[in-house]
Amino acid sequence: MSTSLVTSARRRRVRRLRGAAAATAVPVLLFSLAACGSGDDEGDDDGGSGGSSQGQSGGDGGASGGGGEAGETPTLTEKQLDAALLKNGDVPGYKVQKSKADLFPEKERLTPDKPECQPVADVFGAKSTQERQAYTGGSLMRGDFSTGGTMSQVLLASYKEGDAQKWFADLRKAFRECDGFTAAMDGEKPEGGKLKPYDGKIGLGDEALRFSWLDPKDSEAGKMVVTLVRTGANVATYLSVNLEGKEVPVKKAIAEKQDEKLRAAGGN
């Protein structure tokens, strides 16, 4: 198969996955980055080659810090979040593209057909139950469509004291009660996906959670891994799509560096 045909096939796979999350699963930012292509293929594993190789564990089970405790990173401003956002060179081999404008396809709340799934839907919606005080974001990629790399979008958001912890508690509850949902935005046909939470420890930030969002129409390639890392009153959310259809989370070195920069921005 020619390179152009391979590229076209992988583009179609990712577009199908995006539709499975009701127009919010993989914002267009990922595609603009992939279209550029870094052409950098140094043989890194992108954080794992699938289901078990990374130890794709989900929630830390409990937070290692609480709201308002001494040493916790405070609510950061948009300027501080922008300064903390990963830049080219922060993690060797990864291309970073900042774009706040493309983080959300619509400036509205995503409402699922199952109320118990709202905390999960808030991952993708522009408006959320625990209101973001400021946010910024960008995308990271190693490799390109022709090399089968993994794309990750990172959203940095700050919350009022206690709200980030509350959202994580609500997510843990949703992981027990919600197995997926359907939603629609901007008059589009409702589509949905299946939720697959991960158990165990991730070992990032003050607490961390992870789940896969699966397209039931595409069992081969319809997979996205979502990793959320709390740093005090701030949350870094990573949406990761592997172009070979594997469940690959964000590389740990990326999340660790981002956590480090958020703490530094908050004076920790």
Side-chain angles (χ1 to χ4, degrees):
M1 183 179 292
S2 68
T3 300
S4 61
L5 288 177
V6 170
T7 299
S8 177
R10 285 173 178 156
R11 285 179 184 271
R12 288 195 299 272
R13 282 185 177 183
V14 181
R15 288 188 181 119
R16 286 199 301 271
L17 178 57
R18 183 184 181 191
T24 60
V26 188
V28 292
L29 182 58
L30 290 178
F31 301 98
S32 63
L33 178 66
C36 296
S38 69
D40 184 0
D41 186 11
E42 299 176 13
D44 191 275
D45 63 1
D46 280 321
S49 59
S52 60
S53 62
Q54 172 71 5
Q56 276 195 68
S57 48
D60 277 349
S64 58
E69 290 187 5
E72 283 240 327
T73 305
T75 301
L76 299 179
T77 65
E78 183 174 341
K79 183 177 180 180
Q80 289 173 311
L81 291 174
D82 278 335
L85 183 65
L86 290 170
K87 308 292 191 301
N88 286 329
D90 281 344
V91 182
Y94 281 82
K95 181 177 181 179
V96 182
Q97 179 175 312
K98 176 187 173 184
S99 180
K100 178 179 177 179
D102 291 332
L103 287 173
F104 302 106
E106 297 291 338
K107 302 301 181 183
E108 62 183 56
R109 187 180 189 187
L110 181 67
T111 303
D113 59 339
K114 302 174 183 177
E116 64 270 24
C117 298
Q118 187 63 59
V120 180
D122 284 346
V123 171
F124 307 116
K127 296 182 179 179
S128 54
T129 305
Q130 285 79 30
E131 184 179 356
R132 301 178 184 97
Q133 300 302 294
Y135 69 89
T136 191
S139 53
L140 310 98
M141 187 174 181
R142 185 170 198 163
D144 55 26
F145 276 111
S146 65
T147 61
T150 296
M151 300 181 292
S152 289
Q153 181 195 54
V154 57
L155 167 69
L156 304 183
S158 61
Y159 298 83
K160 291 180 180 178
E161 183 177 315
D163 275 5
Q165 293 93 324
K166 176 64 167 59
W167 183 32
F168 270 55
D170 290 346
L171 279 167
R172 288 190 176 91
K173 185 173 186 288
F175 286 177
R176 296 191 298 269
E177 300 175 352
C178 172
D179 61 358
F181 63 85
T182 297
M185 295 183 72
D186 195 25
E188 295 185 7
K189 179 182 177 181
E191 295 199 49
K194 294 296 182 181
L195 177 71
K196 186 175 80 174
Y198 290 93
D199 297 322
K201 290 185 178 294
I202 300 175
L204 293 168
D206 294 320
E207 58 181 328
L209 296 169
R210 179 173 289 152
F211 66 90
S212 281
W213 182 256
L214 309 176
D215 181 357
K217 298 178 182 178
D218 190 346
S219 59
E220 179 183 354
K223 304 177 181 72
M224 177 175 66
V225 181
V226 180
T227 305
L228 302 102
V229 181
R230 183 177 69 80
T231 305
N234 312 278
V235 177
T237 302
Y238 304 90
L239 310 181
S240 303
V241 176
N242 177 267
L243 300 179
E244 296 292 342
K246 302 172 183 177
E247 290 180 61
V248 181
V250 64
K251 184 176 176 64
K252 190 171 185 179
I254 291 174
E256 287 178 333
K257 185 64 176 180
Q258 186 62 85
D259 177 66
E260 174 188 318
K261 295 189 72 172
L262 286 169
R263 293 182 191 278
N268 297 120

